[in-house]
Each structure stands twice: as C-alpha cells, then as structure tokens.
Amino acid sequence: MSAKLIDGKLVSEKLLTSVKKKCDARIDKGLRAPCLAVVLVGDDPASAVYVRNKKKACEKVGIRSLSYEKNSKFTEHELLSLVQELNENDEVDGILVQLPLPSHIDENKIIEKIHPQKDVDGFHPYNIGRLAIKRPLLRPCTPKGVMLMLEEYGIDVKGKNVTIVGQSNIVGRPIALEMLLKRATITICHTATKDLKAEVQRADIVVAGVGRPNLIKGDWIQEGAVVIDVGINRLENGKLCGDVEFEVAKERASYITPVPGGVGPMTIASLLDNTLIAAGLRDE
C-alpha cells in the first residue's frame, strides 16, 4: 500500500476561493471588507515570515490587514494597551498576536485580553470553552484546518480510534475537542505516556503535533491508518520534516499529510475564514 497524499495546499486554495467570494459579496451588499490586525513583537525570523504570509493571503482574498510590528523592548503593559485599542476599534474584526512572544511577556495575559469575538486564532478561554461544550464559534485555526482537510477527502472520524500525540493548547487539546464533536474515540499522548508505540499502533487516525522530528516511527502506523502530521521541523541539512517518519509511514497508511504542504497552508486559510466569520458576528 502507498498512501494517498492529503494536499493541504489544494484544500486551502479551495477555502480561500470561498472566503474571497464571501468577501466580495459583503462589499456588493454595501458592507466593508473584513479587517485583520496582526501584531508582531520581537525579531523572531520564523514569526516574521508567518506574518508576511498572512498579509499576502489577506490581500489575495480581499481582507484588509493592519500591521503592528514592535521591537523586543516593547513591554507587556504596552502590548496590553495596544490590544485594548484594537478591541475598541470598530474597523477591526480580528486580532492576531503572533506567538511566541518575548520571554518578558505573559502570553496567557495577552490572549485573554483579546475580545473573544475578535479572537481569530481561537485561543481565548471563551472560544475553547465553547468548543468544549459543543457550541464552537471561532475555532483554533490548525485543528479547524485539519478537520476541513479530513472532510474534503471524505474521511469520517465517527467511531474511529484517534491517537493525538501532543497536548498543546494550540494543537493537541483543541483537536481532541474537534474530534469529540465528530464522535471519535480519542487518546491524547504526552511525555508521561508509558507506551507511545502501542498507542500509535492501535490508532485508526494518528495526529502528531509535538515538534520533534521523526518521533513517530513509520512502522508504528497501523495498515490503512490516516496520518495527520502537524509538526514542522528543520533538520541540520536544512530540510523540513514532520513528527512522523514519512517515507516508511506512507507505505502503511491509507492517507497521509506531507511536510511541508500538508497542514501548514490550512492554518492560514482557516485564520482568514475566522476573520470573515468575526466580521459577520459584528454585523449582527
């Protein structure tokens, strides 16, 4: 068996086309274009690339973007004040504060300062809480993107054993809630898991999101399983790889996401979809 690749770039383009049509329809109705404010603090090169890509994507679909780039001396108090300004700005529909933040700033304080209806990253406790009680509003972007990919490829998770490797607030925990919404049976693995290999071996669907290259060996994958690799790691030779040993896993899985080109493009597309949804909430 050789797995079918889940093409995140293709699915993301489909979603972005839908977002653009809906943005155009808003303008045709006399409404303003959705607006996303992006805040970058510090000089992390990877974050700068992500922010640049988000701005380009906004332009492509007709979402207005505002950029606030601050140096690493920008204080927590100043950032909280900026977020509050954006909360109160009626022209702004979505606020994204690029993570990670410099060590002197408490990320949780910043996330909780963002108004829940402008929290297009979906990280605010209000939005996570809504997801937990089966009433999602603004869903965390990467997990949302994963679920949209599975849907696009006709992969039904209902009743399936899903093993999630990693328990982060960004990927592992919210994707577990997403899978529960679709009535999957979930197992979450973390550093205290006694036998990671055994947990992966019994999974119909494996979701990896820990940021450790090739942590999950390809021969652990059950024949015919679906593999969603959220990890993205740069090796010493400069190449990118995921958390799953791809070349071996693809010979056992039925479907697998490549790295790069799998989950990554869906995260940005989901962010823009959330911005459009946030604009709609403010129209009500």
Side-chain angles (χ1 to χ4, degrees):
M1 177 185 291
S2 188
K4 183 171 183 179
L5 293 185
I6 297 176
D7 188 339
K9 195 167 182 187
L10 190 68
V11 182
S12 72
E13 287 297 331
K14 191 171 178 179
L15 178 56
L16 289 172
T17 298
S18 170
V19 170
K20 185 176 189 322
K21 282 181 183 174
K22 290 173 183 174
C23 285
D24 290 344
R26 280 180 60 85
I27 292 164
D28 290 343
K29 287 178 185 175
L31 298 169
R32 58 177 177 73
C35 177
L36 173 65
V38 181
V39 181
L40 174 64
V41 181
D43 51 10
D44 180 75
S47 291
V49 170
Y50 291 143
V51 166
R52 193 160 61 244
N53 289 342
K54 285 164 185 171
K55 286 185 202 166
K56 284 181 186 173
C58 282
E59 289 169 15
K60 196 172 177 181
V61 301
I63 289 176
R64 182 180 164 218
S65 69
L66 303 176
S67 183
Y68 300 84
E69 297 183 14
K70 307 295 180 181
N71 64 39
S72 55
K73 293 180 181 176
F74 200 64
T75 67
E76 180 179 279
H77 177 73
E78 287 173 317
L79 182 52
L80 287 167
S81 297
L82 173 58
V83 169
Q84 186 57 32
E85 276 179 41
L86 296 172
N87 282 339
E88 294 170 2
N89 186 339
D90 288 336
E91 295 292 308
V92 172
D93 299 299
I95 302 168
L96 181 143
V97 178
Q98 183 65 44
L99 304 179
L101 289 167
S103 59
H104 65 277
I105 298 176
D106 183 337
E107 288 182 0
N108 289 325
K109 273 191 190 175
I110 305 306
I111 289 168
E112 291 183 22
K113 186 70 172 178
I114 297 169
H115 191 288
Q117 289 194 349
K118 293 190 178 190
D119 167 43
V120 287
D121 253 340
F123 295 158
H124 193 285
Y126 174 85
N127 284 315
I128 295 294
R130 286 194 64 125
L131 183 58
I133 63 167
K134 303 185 283 187
R135 295 179 60 204
L137 191 62
L138 294 173
R139 297 153 62 194
C141 297
T142 299
K144 174 179 174 174
V146 167
M147 300 310 288
L148 291 173
M149 280 196 302
L150 292 171
E151 189 179 310
E152 181 68 24
Y153 278 80
I155 300 166
D156 186 4
V157 307
K158 183 179 178 181
K160 300 286 174 59
N161 290 322
V162 178
T163 293
I164 299 162
V165 184
Q167 58 155 352
S168 73
N169 290 342
I170 294 172
V171 178
R173 290 170 185 257
I175 210 159
L177 295 172
E178 289 278 6
M179 290 289 182
L180 272 176
L181 268 182
K182 297 295 184 181
R183 301 185 68 198
T185 300
I186 59 165
T187 299
I188 304 178
C189 299
H190 40 71
T191 53
T193 298
K194 289 180 179 175
D195 192 345
L196 179 60
K197 179 180 177 181
E199 299 295 350
V200 171
Q201 283 178 323
R202 67 188 186 85
D204 302 309
I205 300 171
V206 178
V207 182
V210 288
R212 288 179 60 187
N214 301 319
L215 171 70
I216 297 167
K217 303 309 172 193
D219 62 6
W220 295 359
I221 303 301
Q222 181 188 134
E223 288 282 348
V226 175
V227 178
I228 305 294
D229 196 344
V230 184
I232 185 158
N233 311 284
R234 191 171 294 280
L235 301 174
E236 287 181 8
N237 62 12
K239 287 185 178 179
L240 294 175
C241 78
D243 293 346
V244 179
E245 193 180 26
F246 180 81
E247 291 301 326
V248 181
K250 76 176 185 180
E251 298 304 320
R252 299 176 63 82
S254 57
Y255 290 87
I256 191 168
T257 57
V259 177
V263 176
M266 289 301 299
T267 299
I268 291 181
S270 297
L271 169 72
L272 300 193
D273 190 44
N274 277 355
T275 304
L276 176 65
I277 291 167
L281 292 173
R282 293 167 53 68
D283 294 336
E284 293 173 3

